[in-house]
Amino acid sequence: MGKIIGIDLGTSNSVVAVMERGKPTVITNRKGGRTTPSVVAFTKDGKRLVGQDAERQAVTNPQNTIYSIRRFMGRRFAEVQEEINWVPYQVIEAGNGDAWVQIGDKAYAPPEISAMVLRELKEAAEEFLREKVTEAVIAVPAHFNSSQRQATRDAGKIAGLNVVRIFTEPMAAALAYYDLSKSVDETIVIYDLGGGNCSLSVLEIEDSFVKMKTINGDTRLGGDDFDRRIMDWLTTEFKRDHDIDLSRDSVAMKRLKHSAEQVKCELSSIAETKVDLPFLAADASEPKHLSTHLSRTEFEQMIQDLVEKSIELCKLLLRDSGLSPGEIDEVVLVGGSTRVPMVQEAIRHFFGKKPKKSLNPDEAVAIGAAILGGMRSGEVKDVVFEEVTTLSLGVETRGGVMTPIIGRNSKLPARGRQIVSTAADNQPSIEVHVLQGEREMARDNHTLGRFNLEGIPAAPRGVPQIEVTFDIDADGMVSIIKDSGTTKAQQITMTGAVGLDEREIDRMVQDAKTYAQEDAGGAD
């Protein structure tokens, strides 16, 4: 069996790792970096850039440079309205209602963009290993729903990878922590704050068994949101000084984004930093420059509510697990945004102990994914793990209520059954609305899709009793099985689901191969 690589497909940066001589090894990209920016760009002369090259030209080509694409994976356009206002590229509504990206005269699905980053990582791994790589484990945020996980799997397929497992980031980090510490009989919390999400999990480690007890998180809370607060503040400062609104200037906003990221990093180690952005805008009289100072105290005031929001998630996490902060042995920090001192202090204050920083926060998830890849290939033995569902799975019932079938934090794989019936006499089919989420009303949860049970024999309403089985597999993917013994209705057709159909995926796979051939030809 060939090598199975482990990938952390991040919002801001991505990392690839592999097991080598019994140890997880982070693979450097073709620029020599251990992390690859999750950025893709299209130049005026038709070239496609990925990673550092794409990030480097982002300021001069903002509308054709795509970053933070993971925030749009597996989501409908209606769901991302608030988030598209601060990216300089154009996000559009595709024919099926999904959020796609428009570059020039071509539209790209988020999995297609992510596949370009994955292919870059795949090729780096092939150069490192000097062999073809066809299989991967990809880690995703804890609270990714089934549509987002499927979008990630689609991205892997488009990139030429068989995704053998979709893995939650907290569990990946837990495997990396266990591999490093070989701790036994510990209850730990993984606090993962990346660029676009906050993932939290309570895990129990006993000998070589790693068990996920509870999970929580928010896929719209991360370092990007910290950056936005700085950008908003800089925009306000500039408008006050020059009466010019930069929010409509995509080039200026990209420069502010880049500067905000730098400021955030600098304030993790110093008390105050200076922001100098010359020639940021101009009016009829002269060019306008931005020059100001920002202190760590001011920055912490900007992000206080975001940090508090993550602590509220910690409270819910412990409530679900039935544990108190004092019963947690270690808190392990993962994700680049955990470098922010205010985040570390908030965690220390809540749990009553200093968080552990023994893992590289940028690399831990990819290392854990590589360890799982080693387990699948037989290179890693004597480690067993158990995951749980991240969101409740249910159906819409009378009154627009969400009725759970499989509850959150159920052991994976999980199975649930629901009896459905007709609402009218002689009704020939039944539509079932399938949802994921924790809200009481169906409209407030995520729609996985609707399926029809057809060919129901004529009968008074409520008489047909049709048992439908819902499965969530180890990857957190949902499937629906109709019990063939209950009715003649055999066919299940899912409609309204988020994501790509097989024809679109096949086209994107072919496009990716064409690009690869063109790149190879250019290299010659």
Side-chain angles (χ1 to χ4, degrees), residues 43-58:
T43 65
K44 293 179 180 178
D45 57 1
K47 290 183 179 179
R48 189 185 71 195
L49 306 174
V50 180
Q52 282 91 339
D53 289 340
E55 188 175 57
R56 200 171 291 130
Q57 55 81 70

Side-chain angles (χ1 to χ4, degrees), residues 501-514:
D501 61 34
E502 286 300 318
R503 185 173 56 184
E504 289 174 317
I505 293 173
D506 289 343
R507 174 187 63 78
M508 293 173 189
V509 169
Q510 189 56 49
D511 286 350
K513 289 179 180 177
T514 301

Side-chain angles (χ1 to χ4, degrees), residues 52 79 99 129 138 154 163 172 180 193-194 241 257 289 293 315 323 329 342 361 379 429 460 524:
Q52 282 91 339
E79 295 179 270
L129 295 169
I138 301 181
D154 291 344
V163 182
L180 184 67
L193 188 64
D241 293 342
K257 168 68 173 171
H289 317 298
H293 289 81
K315 293 177 182 177
L323 298 172
D329 296 307
M342 185 182 190
E379 293 178 81
S429 65
D524 294 338

Side-chain angles (χ1 to χ4, degrees), residues 5-81:
I5 58 176
I7 295 175
D8 175 10
L9 183 61
T11 304
S12 302
N13 295 285
S14 295
V15 184
V16 58
V18 71
M19 294 300 297
E20 276 283 276
R21 300 179 183 89
K23 294 289 183 183
T25 301
V26 172
I27 298 172
T28 57
N29 59 36
R30 289 182 284 190
K31 298 293 181 181
R34 293 170 71 87
T35 62
T36 298
S38 303
V39 183
V40 173
F42 299 87
T43 65
K44 293 179 180 178
D45 57 1
K47 290 183 179 179
R48 189 185 71 195
L49 306 174
V50 180
Q52 282 91 339
D53 289 340
E55 188 175 57
R56 200 171 291 130
Q57 55 81 70
V59 170
T60 57
N61 184 31
Q63 292 177 324
N64 298 314
T65 302
I66 306 166
Y67 58 87
S68 297
I69 192 63
R70 193 170 75 167
R71 282 181 175 257
F72 305 127
M73 292 277 282
R75 298 177 67 195
R76 295 191 179 282
F77 182 78
E79 295 179 270
V80 301
Q81 289 298 300

Side-chain angles (χ1 to χ4, degrees), residues 193-259:
L193 188 64
N197 78 95
C198 180
S199 293
L200 310 168
S201 185
V202 174
L203 297 110
E204 296 175 343
I205 300 175
E206 184 176 351
D207 294 327
S208 58
F209 182 53
V210 182
K211 177 184 178 182
M212 183 177 285
K213 188 175 177 67
T214 54
I215 200 163
N216 211 319
D218 190 333
T219 56
R220 286 171 280 182
L221 173 62
D224 278 355
D225 301 285
F226 292 2
D227 298 342
R228 286 178 67 185
R229 295 295 172 86
I230 299 174
M231 291 171 67
D232 291 343
W233 178 76
L234 292 173
T235 303
T236 301
E237 290 285 296
F238 195 82
K239 183 171 178 59
R240 184 197 65 193
D241 293 342
H242 304 293
D243 196 28
I244 296 176
D245 183 4
L246 295 175
S247 63
R248 302 176 184 275
D249 185 336
S250 61
V251 173
M253 291 304 290
K254 182 55 191 171
R255 290 182 67 187
L256 288 182
K257 168 68 173 171
H258 181 70
S259 181

